[in-house]
Amino acid sequence: MHLMTRLVLVLHAHLPYVRAHGLWPFGEETLYEVIAEVYLPLARLLERLEREGVPTPLTLGLTPVLSEQLADPRVKEGFLRHAADRLGRAEADLGRLRAGEFAASAQHNLTFWQTTLEHYRSLTGDLTGFFARAQERGRLEVITSSATHAYSPLLASDAALWAQVKTGTETYRRHYRRAPTGYWLPEMAYRPRGLWKPPVDGAAPLMRAGVDELLYQAGIRYSFVDAHLVQGGKPLSPTYVGYGESQPPQKIQSQDVTYRVHELPSGLRVLARNPETAVQVWSADYGYPGNGVYREFHRKDPISGLRHHRVSGRKTALGDKEPYLPQQALAQATEHARHFVGLLTELAQQHPGGVICAAYDAELFGHWWYEGTAWLEAVFRALNSVMTIQPTTAVEAIRGEASRTALPEGSWGRGGANEVWLGEQTLDYWRLVYRAEAQMVEAAERFGRELNGKRRALRQLMRELLLLESSDWPFLIDSAQATEYARTRYEGHAERFAELYAMLTTDQLDLGRVAALESLDNVFPEADTSLYLSRGKIPVEGNPVGDLLSQTAPERSARRSAEAAKYGPLPTSKAALPVRKRKPGQREPLEKIQGIGAVYQKRLWEAGILTFAQLAALEPEALLRIIQPRPWQKVDVQSWILEAGKRARR
């Protein structure tokens, strides 16, 4: 009897926290693009195949920080504006291009944006709810990850990693209505138990738990690693640093050990990413996305900003790209899906009864490779009639026998280790992270039992640390995609961390300022500061993060000025709004703003919003939480904020 080979298809969906931090160059607009091009098309794929009775046992990783943003009212409103704007551009393009060689592309874009806007409205913007319901119906499996996609091997303390893990599992529980058992290791980065020596100052050598130990303690039962961690040798080179990387032309051949389920000493089980399927799909040079008929990502129409050209050839200059023909591209995606299923069949014959783990960034499908979602749908359809391959979710695949193993430290990044996230350009980043980790532990010990405003400040301190720890900031610096944006973002979180820490330790709490920061960086409402307790306290003197920022202030100011001179200033956040000096406790007559009466003014004052400047710094949803209007009461909080800003500048 021929044993069926199991296929685990994994998509890892992640974007860093970009809400309320500008549109360009890596801000909210990036999130809107992937909602339109990745998450909504994936939802439509699942809906279509469910209606047709085609199984879609997809394992979908949605990082906690992404889930938070997808569910955020500001993001939902912003996406509707973005989609309506793109629809208007597509309509104008069709009028302008309908008689020429770009007519088919223009019509395709118009239909796409009409469908996108209608679909999002039909879901009431509730993408997390859609995926939760799809999971409940058995259409896919949703897994979690670290809270903000922190790079585990370089976090100094077990407390920092534990907070990332537990915040990630609790956020998943809130959005997807069950406890998670699967976990995507950010950057597929694993670290075993052992003595660790920090690469920069700010932390001390210490014995750290293995990431698998902490995951297992948190109720996680399986995860994923790159193939070179289980089969040894050199990693697939280059592995993952972003779409479009070249892959070597020589044949990739993984070892049999890659097709097994592995169990670590902690009990955590892991699946290894399959190299053959990785090269075939991910590589733009030797894989599918580089085919000449697919839509070119990097060239946009000079008037509308929409895309109307095809790849044409990998060495074709952007100015020489040919018109995009949608039907030809979709036909090619179907053909490539058949080829992929043929590759899977060949691997299944070589490894009967094994597991093929085909794992990718979700954003490749539809965003970088526009036809990727159509390819994925064609793969599911084709697999439905293949008898030697059993598509399954990861939670099903890891059951049964497993090979006991121990793994070295490593990732799916360039070189297979920490090179992407730890280099000359990111050393200052890690100096800030290590100081902030130690200060968070110390603050949790001192103020964790407070029940007043200090508790709010402490929880916001935790949010700023989690956002500071995002692996995206060093990644963007290494890849030179948005270097200054990344630096400005992590320095901003460090600055707000130092500010909150100073409030706590000097007993000079400004609840209005705390409210403004809560509104700006509003993720993880369940932020549990007790996660930093009882895992080793690090002595702290003064405000090390603030001290380091002060020391580097001239250098950072010069760098930002030089960048602004070349490209214009980066967007600033509302939390940076200048606040007029006032005496402690001084209140301004907020009820002078039309619509704010005595009751609302009192609620604002009780929340620490004493001045027009503080009111102007709030986001609408934060203001609504404070004033708590009745369902039948109509309030225009956006106009209040605008009016408060005008009064604050007088």
Side-chain angles (χ1 to χ4, degrees):
M1 180 178 177
H2 187 84
L3 294 175
M4 293 186 71
T5 298
R6 291 160 289 172
L7 170 68
V8 177
L9 187 55
V10 188
L11 298 186
H12 166 55
H14 168 66
L15 272 186
Y17 187 72
V18 294
R19 173 201 172 275
H21 286 279
L23 292 175
W24 173 93
F26 197 82
E28 282 189 23
E29 189 167 298
T30 306
L31 177 57
Y32 300 153
E33 286 179 351
V34 296
I35 289 173
E37 297 168 351
V38 181
Y39 311 140
L40 282 171
L42 180 59
R44 291 195 289 275
L45 177 160
L46 293 169
E47 289 173 330
R48 277 193 300 272
L49 296 187
E50 183 172 11
R51 287 195 298 268
E52 297 176 27
V54 178
T56 54
L58 177 69
T59 299
L60 177 64
L62 290 159
T63 59
V65 69
L66 173 60
S67 296
E68 291 283 79
Q69 293 177 95
L70 293 179
D72 186 88
R74 175 195 171 104
V75 170
K76 292 179 180 180
E77 293 173 6
F79 178 77
L80 286 172
R81 290 193 299 270
H82 173 86
D85 171 77
R86 268 41 182 189
L87 178 57
R89 298 185 191 200
E91 290 170 342
D93 272 4
L94 184 59
R96 178 169 56 92
L97 303 172
R98 70 166 67 244
E101 57 187 350
F102 295 103
S105 176
Q107 181 61 60
H108 177 81
N109 267 327
L110 178 60
T111 303
F112 174 84
W113 284 108
Q114 288 172 335
T115 302
T116 296
L117 195 54
E118 180 182 346
H119 188 207
Y120 193 73
R121 285 172 173 162
S122 73
L123 296 176
T124 64
D126 187 15
L127 274 167
T128 54
F130 171 86
F131 290 122
R133 292 188 295 274
Q135 177 170 234
E136 289 163 0
R137 295 196 304 273
R139 299 303 299 173
L140 81 166
E141 173 192 11
V142 181
I143 63 173
T144 192
S145 185
S146 297
T148 58
H149 211 255
Y151 190 74
S152 303
L154 292 176
L155 294 183
S157 67
D158 286 354
L161 181 52
W162 181 244
Q164 281 279 344
V165 170
K166 283 293 290 180
T167 304
T169 58
E170 291 308 307
T171 302
Y172 176 97
R173 190 190 300 268
R174 176 161 45 84
H175 286 292
Y176 303 106
R177 303 190 284 266
R178 63 176 65 178
T181 55
Y183 197 96
W184 181 271
L185 289 172
E187 318 298 358
M188 275 196 172
Y190 172 78
R191 78 179 200 206
R193 167 176 285 275
L195 179 64
W196 175 75
K197 295 182 180 179
V200 296
D201 59 284
L206 75 165
M207 182 66 68
R208 301 184 306 179
V211 64
D212 57 305
E213 298 175 66
L214 299 184
L215 290 180
Y216 202 81
Q217 289 176 28
I220 299 299
R221 292 298 174 259
Y222 70 89
S223 189
F224 309 87
V225 294
D226 205 27
H228 71 97
L229 292 188
V230 300
Q231 69 180 25
K234 294 181 179 180
L236 189 61
S237 179
T239 47
Y240 167 78
V241 292
Y243 170 76
E245 283 295 331
S246 301
Q247 296 288 356
Q250 68 267 26
K251 182 174 176 61
I252 301 296
Q253 187 168 5
S254 54
Q255 299 177 16
D256 184 67
V257 68
T258 305
Y259 297 84
R260 302 175 192 166
V261 178
H262 297 266
E263 184 173 294
L264 304 181
S266 62
L268 187 79
R269 295 193 167 192
V270 295
L271 296 173
R273 181 176 71 137
N274 178 268
E276 286 91 340
T277 56
V279 164
Q280 191 60 72
V281 175
W282 184 257
S283 169
D285 286 328
Y286 298 98
Y288 305 135
N291 187 278
V293 304
Y294 289 141
R295 194 165 81 175
E296 172 61 56
F297 175 83
H298 296 95
R299 182 170 178 180
K300 296 182 179 180
D301 184 89
I303 297 175
S304 68
L306 302 181
R307 298 179 176 92
H308 294 298
H309 293 81
R310 53 180 166 173
V311 172
S312 304
R314 291 295 297 157
K315 296 183 179 180
T316 304
L318 280 181
D320 297 329
K321 301 290 185 179
E322 300 171 38
Y324 177 61
L325 302 174
Q327 292 305 315
Q328 183 181 4
L330 292 174
Q332 184 62 69
T334 301
E335 185 59 36
H336 277 155
R338 294 193 191 100
H339 179 273
F340 185 74
V341 172
L343 170 64
L344 294 174
T345 302
E346 181 182 336
L347 295 175
Q349 291 170 348
Q350 297 170 6
H351 305 278
V355 178
I356 303 171
C357 178
Y360 313 98
D361 270 356
E363 288 72 30
L364 168 65
F365 297 86
H367 183 58
W368 299 107
W369 177 23
Y370 177 68
E371 298 78 9
T373 309
W375 173 89
L376 184 63
E377 181 171 342
V379 167
F380 278 127
R381 292 184 187 280
L383 286 170
N384 200 34
S385 59
V386 176
M387 303 305 296
T388 58
I389 302 171
Q390 179 185 359
T392 185
T393 56
V395 70
E396 292 293 334
I398 57 99
R399 292 173 179 163
E401 294 184 0
S403 299
R404 296 282 291 179
T405 189
L407 300 178
E409 183 170 301
S411 74
W412 73 350
R414 184 178 65 247
N418 303 331
E419 179 183 338
V420 170
W421 299 273
L422 180 64
E424 286 298 321
Q425 295 188 81
T426 58
L427 297 181
D428 285 342
Y429 167 78
W430 290 108
R431 291 187 178 100
L432 286 170
V433 169
Y434 295 152
R435 286 165 170 78
E437 284 185 17
Q439 287 178 237
M440 186 67 228
V441 172
E442 191 265 351
E445 292 279 358
R446 287 180 60 183
F447 307 109
R449 294 170 182 80
E450 298 280 355
L451 298 176
N452 51 21
K454 284 190 174 181
R455 180 171 180 79
R456 283 179 59 189
L458 182 64
R459 289 162 71 97
Q460 191 59 32
L461 188 77
M462 176 179 174
R463 295 184 187 102
E464 300 297 346
L465 172 59
L466 292 173
L467 292 168
L468 170 63
E469 290 171 329
S470 170
S471 72
D472 302 274
W473 314 138
F475 172 84
L476 288 171
I477 291 171
D478 176 84
S479 62
Q481 290 185 33
T483 301
E484 193 56 33
Y485 176 83
R487 284 176 174 153
T488 301
R489 286 297 312 279
Y490 80 69
E491 288 167 356
H493 292 300
E495 288 163 359
R496 294 190 281 280
F497 181 95
E499 180 183 2
L500 289 160
Y501 187 83
M503 283 188 198
L504 287 164
T505 55
T506 61
D507 203 25
Q508 296 183 8
L509 202 61
D510 183 341
L511 285 178
R513 179 61 175 166
V514 172
L517 297 183
E518 289 172 333
S519 178
L520 177 67
D521 295 332
N522 73 339
V523 289
F524 313 127
E526 72 280 3
D528 180 3
T529 61
S530 70
L531 297 172
Y532 293 93
L533 303 178
S534 304
R535 289 185 180 269
K537 185 177 178 181
I538 305 169
V540 173
E541 293 184 8
N543 189 342
V545 170
D547 294 342
L548 184 57
L549 289 169
S550 297
Q551 294 167 15
T552 58
E555 176 189 337
R556 289 185 290 114
S557 178
R559 191 194 72 229
R560 291 180 185 179
S561 297
E563 190 78 7
K566 288 166 56 180
Y567 304 111
L570 286 167
T572 55
S573 64
K574 280 191 174 184
L577 185 72
V579 178
R580 290 184 296 165
K581 291 184 177 180
R582 62 180 178 84
K583 297 177 182 179
Q586 179 182 346
R587 297 176 177 179
E588 293 180 340
L590 304 181
E591 62 182 347
K592 284 192 173 183
I593 295 176
Q594 185 175 0
I596 298 181
V599 173
Y600 287 162
Q601 178 178 255
K602 181 181 178 183
R603 290 176 184 173
L604 287 163
W605 283 351
E606 288 174 345
I609 309 302
L610 308 180
T611 68
F612 293 117
Q614 290 174 330
L615 178 56
L618 292 176
E619 293 291 341
E621 57 267 27
L623 181 49
L624 287 170
R625 285 198 298 270
I626 291 172
I627 64 171
Q628 300 176 7
R630 299 289 186 182
W632 62 86
Q633 292 177 311
K634 294 183 178 180
V635 294
D636 186 0
V637 293
Q638 187 64 59
S639 69
W640 297 1
I641 291 169
L642 292 174
E643 177 64 20
K646 294 176 183 178
R647 290 178 177 272
R649 290 189 289 271
R650 290 175 185 171

